[in-house]
Amino acid sequence: KEKQRIESLSWWTALADKHGINVDGTIWHFQPTGLIGNFNTARKNILTYRINHSEGLIEKILPTSQPEDEKVKYTYIDKYGNTHELGELEYREVPKIVSPSSPETGTIKLIDIRTLRNYRNGEIGFNLENDSSRPYISDLALASLLGAMLEVSYDDFSCNGFSHANGTSAPSVSHINGINGDLKYLRADGSTQQQLSLHIDTQPTLLDELRQNKFNDALYKFGWKLFFSYRY
């Protein structure tokens, strides 16, 4: 299976007899860290989200046994089939807040978004700041957000808040359980993280409409289907 995957990614023959490549296009090379990662089974007992570029698919891989600690692992598979390790984050499990839109009982896993490390590997990456006193996001919502951010790979994302540590969201009533959140509009000059939220109804020319629409499409692709916005 691994050989078949490698074959599907092979393009060296197109360089045959060019740029110093052999006439037959044969070259011998492998990336040790990536190869080891493909076969690494040392830690199976951790909740893992595999975020796939293709079709916005998010795979939730449950632990094979009782987890050693309360952590969630996130990985991203880019359009080239490369795996990006985004880290392991601690979560806190709290009772789920029941509401008309979320009537099921049980527990939820909340992650402090401030513990998320920014990531960059070539053209794939993101930079996110938290500008809120409600920094807790659900484990699945974070997988969706990571997928969307990595899809466009901007370096000026800014979060205006999801939930509190116990899943409540006062003064908001729509951010319970860490599912819904507010994100700042992306500014055309790239100063999104250095500024307060942009009011596009009064300052529409400061909005980077092209990048914002790409990000909106990415959020939709990875699971968010409903948006609220100023009119402008």
Side-chain angles (χ1 to χ4, degrees):
K1 292 295 184 180
E2 178 63 10
K3 288 180 178 179
Q4 290 174 8
R5 188 183 75 87
I6 292 173
E7 183 66 26
S8 70
L9 299 173
S10 298
W11 46 267
W12 283 109
T13 52
L15 296 179
D17 204 22
K18 301 175 183 177
H19 308 292
I21 305 300
N22 294 338
V23 176
D24 61 2
T26 301
I27 189 167
W28 300 95
H29 169 78
F30 70 96
Q31 211 285 343
T33 304
L35 184 64
I36 293 172
N38 284 339
F39 300 101
N40 180 16
T41 58
R43 290 198 64 186
K44 291 185 177 180
N45 59 334
I46 183 173
L47 175 60
T48 301
Y49 284 100
R50 283 173 52 89
I51 309 159
N52 291 271
H53 163 82
S54 177
E55 300 180 356
L57 177 66
I58 297 175
E59 299 175 87
K60 183 177 183 179
I61 304 171
L62 298 175
T64 56
S65 60
Q66 182 64 31
E68 296 175 358
D69 43 35
E70 295 181 333
K71 287 187 176 182
V72 182
K73 180 180 179 180
Y74 292 92
T75 61
Y76 176 71
I77 315 301
D78 66 25
K79 60 183 178 182
Y80 305 108
N82 300 316
T83 299
H84 300 263
E85 300 290 346
L86 307 177
E88 299 176 7
L89 301 175
E90 293 185 355
Y91 66 81
R92 54 184 300 152
E93 193 158 4
V94 299
K96 184 177 183 180
I97 297 174
V98 178
S99 70
S101 61
S102 182
E104 300 87 0
T105 60
T107 61
I108 53 172
K109 294 178 176 63
L110 295 176
I111 296 171
D112 188 339
I113 206 167
R114 295 170 296 186
T115 65
L116 176 67
R117 298 190 306 271
N118 294 322
Y119 180 82
R120 174 63 58 182
N121 185 353
E123 65 182 36
I124 305 297
F126 68 88
N127 186 298
L128 172 70
E129 70 146 6
N130 174 72
D131 192 15
S132 168
S133 60
R134 296 173 298 169
Y136 287 86
I137 183 172
S138 83
D139 54 338
L140 177 56
L142 179 55
S144 296
L145 180 59
L146 285 169
M149 292 193 297
L150 290 165
E151 175 89 0
V152 295
S153 290
Y154 302 151
D155 284 319
D156 59 336
F157 295 111
S158 185
C159 170
N160 269 355
F162 280 77
S163 299
H164 298 296
N166 61 356
T168 62
S169 61
S172 170
V173 297
S174 62
H175 290 194
I176 60 172
N177 299 319
I179 297 296
N180 299 319
D182 290 332
L183 299 169
K184 291 181 182 178
Y185 294 109
L186 296 168
R187 292 175 178 259
D189 63 0
S191 65
T192 310
Q193 296 183 350
Q194 289 76 49
Q195 305 283 347
L196 297 176
S197 294
L198 174 61
H199 289 256
I200 60 174
D201 54 337
T202 58
Q203 294 179 302
T205 60
L206 300 184
L207 172 68
D208 192 326
E209 187 178 89
L210 178 61
R211 289 199 305 140
Q212 187 66 58
N213 278 333
K214 287 183 177 180
F215 185 39
N216 291 349
D217 289 343
L219 288 167
Y220 188 91
K221 173 181 176 179
F222 284 94
W224 270 296
K225 305 301 184 184
L226 184 64
F227 299 82
F228 293 96
S229 169
Y230 289 114
R231 293 183 178 274
Y232 75 105

